[in-house]
Amino acid sequence: VTAYQKGIDKDPKNILCRTNYGLMLARHDHEQEAIRMWQPVLSDAEIHYNLASVFEADGRTQEARLEYQKALSLDPKLQDAQSRLSQLDSK
């Protein structure tokens, strides 16, 4: 956590630090904090994609589906979201 905060303090637009810190927050059920962490550097579609990824890894497949669908509605060209959604739907 300290390393992420130091990286963000040094460069508030550090995509890697903000993305990874947000993923960690989301994994610990701090979704709103994760979203705030991502907003300065990711598109809304990417934010929904990241949430979906966390939900999917946590076995929360229905929530993951909804987030992948939101990501795709915002950016239909987000191939990773389409691929992951297709994989969920085939299960």
Side-chain angles (χ1 to χ4, degrees), residues 2-64:
T2 304
Y4 292 132
Q5 290 170 335
K6 284 182 182 179
I8 292 166
D9 287 343
K10 186 175 180 180
D11 178 8
K13 297 287 185 180
N14 186 316
I15 295 170
L16 190 57
C17 280
R18 284 187 171 274
T19 299
N20 289 333
Y21 191 21
L23 288 168
M24 186 199 72
L25 289 167
R27 284 187 202 108
H28 289 94
D29 296 322
H30 297 282
E31 288 94 358
Q32 293 305 313
E33 291 176 54
I35 291 168
R36 284 192 293 279
M37 186 58 53
W38 293 325
Q39 283 176 326
V41 295
L42 299 178
S43 70
D44 287 344
E46 291 167 324
I47 289 170
H48 287 289
Y49 174 81
N50 281 338
L51 281 175
S53 296
V54 170
F55 293 156
E56 183 180 2
D58 198 31
R60 296 161 60 182
T61 55
Q62 189 57 31
E63 291 168 279

Side-chain angles (χ1 to χ4, degrees), residues 60-74:
R60 296 161 60 182
T61 55
Q62 189 57 31
E63 291 168 279
R65 271 189 191 90
L66 292 172
E67 292 298 329
Y68 286 134
Q69 290 167 346
K70 287 178 189 176
L72 286 167
S73 72
L74 293 165

